[in-house]
Structure formats: C-alpha cells, structure tokens
Amino acid sequence: MEPKTADRTQSPSSPSSPSSPSSPSLSSPATPGPLASFVRFVVCGGGIGVLSSFAVPLVAMTMPWAVANAVITVASTLLCTELHALFTFGTGRRPGWRRHLQSSGSAAAAYAVTCAAMFLLHVIQSAPSMLTEQAVYLTASGLAGIGRFLVLRLFVFTSGRKSPLQPRRPVLPLPRPVLTHAAVGATA
C-alpha cells in the first residue's frame, strides 16, 4: 500500500512516479554522505574564513581591531551555520537558535584547542621559529576542524538520522491475533 502523499513536482503522466526509489522528494532532501559533507564543510568554512580574513582589516578601519575581529567572527559563524545546515549537511531547513548555539559552542571549542596548542608550544619552546608556530597552528586548526565537523555532523545537524550512540534495532510489527469462528463462538 502506497502513502497518500504525492510529489507535486511531477505530473501524473511523468515517466518516473513518486514511489520510484530514484525520484527525489522535496519534503526530505537527500543527505550527503560523510565524504561529500566533509568536502562541503571545508569549502564553506574555508571560504568564509578567507573572506573573514579580508573583512577584519576593512572593518577595523572604522573601529578598534579587537571589536572588528569579534564582529566578523560572530557574523561568519552565523553565516557558516546557515550554510552548514542548508548545504553541507542537507537538513533542508534553516537552523534554529539551538543549532546556532551548538555550532557556536563547537567553534569556541575549536578556538580553545588552537589557543591551547600555541600556549603549549610557547611553554615547550620559549622562542619558536615562525615556521614551527605555523606548523603547530595549522595542525591544531586542522584537528580542531575535523573535531568540529564530527560534532556538527553527528550531534548538531542530525535531522532524521539516529544518533550514532543509539543502537539501531529493526522495528518488527506485532503479530495480530487471528479470530476464527470457533474462537468468536467460544467467547459468546
């Protein structure tokens, strides 16, 4: 038995019917796989990061640098969360405040990881070279980015998918009792 809802984008004479497995539905967008999501995450996050690095000095012409950096960081985090919800993880809808807060929390955690890595570097070496600083920063940033991707994919933007921490059990229908004429007559 087919569901009573129909895909309104196709006409009844369309060669592919709404019930065919290859036809996409507008109500549930196709969720990209892990590799596609990761590539999209890097492109969106990296692209916004590069644009932000150009925007901070421009905005800093009108206000103190620290304030400009904070403003651009907040704006870029909000924009990235929107892009991640709609494009990277394919939720099909804009994120609410809860997802914005969770995404901001993961960005703050990634920032803390890179700061901690740089602090530890300066504890271990009092005057590291610029090349060493760049290597440590980029490594920490890459690891924090991978961690942030995992948090966003597995916990923040999990719409419609089960959490990886919950076991997946098949749902089996309950058996229905079969009433026979003898059983009905015996109860009357």
Side-chain angles (χ1 to χ4, degrees):
M1 181 172 199
E2 291 185 13
K4 301 220 183 228
T5 58
D7 186 0
R8 298 187 190 280
T9 60
Q10 297 178 346
S11 65
S13 61
S14 176
S16 67
S17 68
S19 62
S20 71
S22 63
S23 67
S25 172
L26 290 178
S27 61
S28 61
T31 303
L35 183 59
S37 290
F38 186 72
V39 169
R40 292 175 180 189
F41 177 80
V42 170
V43 168
C44 288
I48 297 299
V50 168
L51 291 175
S52 297
S53 69
F54 289 117
V56 171
L58 294 175
V59 174
M61 287 192 264
T62 61
M63 61 184 69
W65 191 91
V67 175
N69 188 28
V71 167
I72 296 300
T73 299
V74 168
S76 66
T77 301
L78 291 172
L79 179 59
C80 276
T81 302
E82 294 284 334
L83 289 174
H84 290 328
L86 297 172
F87 179 68
T88 303
F89 301 108
T91 63
R93 60 189 146 105
R94 295 185 61 197
W97 283 110
R98 180 176 159 258
R99 284 187 171 164
H100 273 291
L101 289 173
Q102 290 171 330
S103 179
S104 297
S106 71
Y111 174 77
V113 166
T114 57
C115 287
M118 295 307 290
F119 176 76
L120 286 173
L121 172 65
H122 285 276
V123 166
I124 294 169
Q125 288 185 350
S126 60
S129 69
M130 187 182 294
L131 183 62
T132 303
E133 284 183 327
Q134 274 299 94
V136 168
Y137 177 77
L138 290 174
T139 301
S141 188
L143 291 173
I146 291 169
R148 186 164 187 254
F149 169 78
L150 291 172
V151 166
L152 292 177
R153 179 164 173 84
L154 298 176
F155 300 106
V156 177
F157 297 109
T158 59
S159 67
R161 295 190 311 250
K162 284 190 168 217
S163 169
L165 301 178
Q166 297 174 344
R168 293 181 182 211
R169 287 179 274 158
V171 177
L172 300 175
L174 294 173
R176 292 185 172 187
V178 178
L179 296 178
T180 62
H181 290 293
V184 172
T187 59

